Amino acid sequence: MVEHRKPIPVSEAVQKVIDQAHLLETETVPLEQSYNRILAEPIVAGHPVPPFDRSPYDGFAIISKHSSGASGDNRIRFDIVDHIGAGAVSEKTLSGNQSVRIMTGAPLPENADAVVMFEQTVESDGFFTIRKPFKPLENVSLQGEDVEQGETVIESGNLIHPGIVALLATFGYATVRVAKHPVVGILSTGTELLDVSEPLVPGKIRNSNGPMIAAQLARMGIPCKTYGLSVDNLDESFDIVKRAAEETDCLITTGGVSVGDFDFLPAIYERLGANVLFNKVAMRPGSVTTVAVADGKYLFGLSGNPSACFTGFELFVRPALLKMMGAEKLYLPHTKAILFEDFDKANPFTRFIRAVYDGHNVKPAGFNKSNAVASIAKGNSLIVLPGGTRGFKKGDAVDVLLLGVEEGSAEWEL
Ligand SMILES: Nc1nc2c(c(=O)[nH]1)N[C@H]1C(S)=C(S)[C@@H](COP(=O)(O)OP(=O)(O)OC[C@H]3O[C@@H](n4cnc5c(N)ncnc54)[C@H](O)[C@@H]3O)O[C@H]1N2
Ligand code: MOO
Ligand SMILES: [Mg+2]
């Protein structure tokens, strides 16, 4: 008799999954290898930025009070007593109408408190004149105006993106403490599966899920072990899953999780004594997505249908791996967008539709069945339509989850 499974809401399923995450250890990597890793220490400013008062322009450093009263009819003259570029420090201490010719990034000389841009002067040999008064600190980048010494600028748990790399470099982090990567395995199950280099033969298809998931992991900067293909045979599949689970923190299988005669993952979980968190989610595609935990290891049983498999990774695997790495922002970023075409199908379950989002409008990325592959290739986002609804019209505001965006969201907003 066919097993009847009880679907649970997507948000509950996501919560159940991340609740099982155990924190991985940390390691130190060279700054050049830190991109896309999860920061495992706060970035604390070891010095102010900028570290000294400096000129933001190419021009002349002056004492502002000596410019008072300057006008078109009363040009005020300053003598040039020194000349410095960025990297040099002037030995001069200004007094009266003295000035230093100074380039962008150079520290202000002693007593100077304003900078006149070249464009604001008329220059002659050894002096220049100006036609407007300057205020104290006019055209000065003050020490610490960007970051104060001792400030925690970025908290632990953030993803290291290029801006964070710049900040790390600013403070001299030649090495950075980051979360270790989880060891993730991928096993594609299905007697029908061929390797990508094999020619098609009747009844068979090429394995697209395995390479797709490896790329989804690569997008997160996470390497993987691939366990290749396994035929739908309980004993054989059990042996591979058992070994793979021992060798990894997280094993992702695809296929074999539904109620078919050759869907063996449910039996494998049982034989392993795994704790099945759920085996039915109120979502389409991916309703049969199953997640289990055995000996502290995640076993993600993603559906074999490519669109369901893709969605299952983004919704469940991604936040779980991020949580293991101590990340703060676990979820795909969410936005609202305007539906660009009618969507008349009923949504008994929450529906995730591969879609193209252009910053304002969103529309389904073509053929949108669970077994579709082209719409995964064309989409850059997922439209989310709540369960129990139907009849969305062009012009309606809908929820959208963005794919492939560096910075995630700290909240599950759906
Ligand atoms: N009687 C029922 N039948 C089905 C149900 C159900 O509730 N009752 N659920 C359907 C839903 S929904 C889905 S989704 C699929 C899920 O099936 P499985 O996860 O067990 O996956 P398979 O049966 O192994 O494969 C499904 C489909 O995907 C193709 N596939 C598998 N692996 C790959 C791969 N690595 N690369 C590309 N394509 C792959 C496979 O050939 C099948 O066409 O079950 C429904 N049935
Ligand atoms: O699990 Mo299936 O993908 O809902 O269509
Ligand atoms: Mg099946």
Side-chain angles (χ1 to χ4, degrees), residues 257-258 280-281 283-289 303-309 349 369-371:
V257 279
S258 188
K280 188 96 181 169
V281 187
M283 63 187 267
R284 264 279 124 84
S287 60
V288 296
T289 305
S303 163
N305 273 327
S307 289
C309 180
F349 286 164
K369 287 198 176 155
S370 172
N371 51 18

Side-chain angles (χ1 to χ4, degrees), residues 59-129:
F60 297 98
I62 63 168
I63 301 172
S64 62
K65 70 178 180 206
H66 294 291
S67 68
S68 91
S71 69
D73 297 332
N74 178 34
R75 299 193 70 97
I76 291 184
R77 169 184 164 139
F78 286 85
D79 295 319
I80 304 164
V81 299
D82 200 4
H83 179 192
I84 56 168
V89 176
S90 177
E91 306 277 295
K92 294 284 193 306
T93 298
L94 295 188
S95 65
N97 281 41
Q98 291 183 325
S99 75
V100 168
R101 191 176 172 93
I102 191 171
M103 301 305 124
T104 305
L108 256 66
E110 283 293 311
N111 286 349
D113 70 346
V115 171
V116 182
M117 294 165 76
F118 285 148
E119 295 87 332
Q120 298 171 311
T121 68
V122 174
E123 274 189 74
S124 292
D125 199 19
F127 71 92
F128 64 90
T129 63

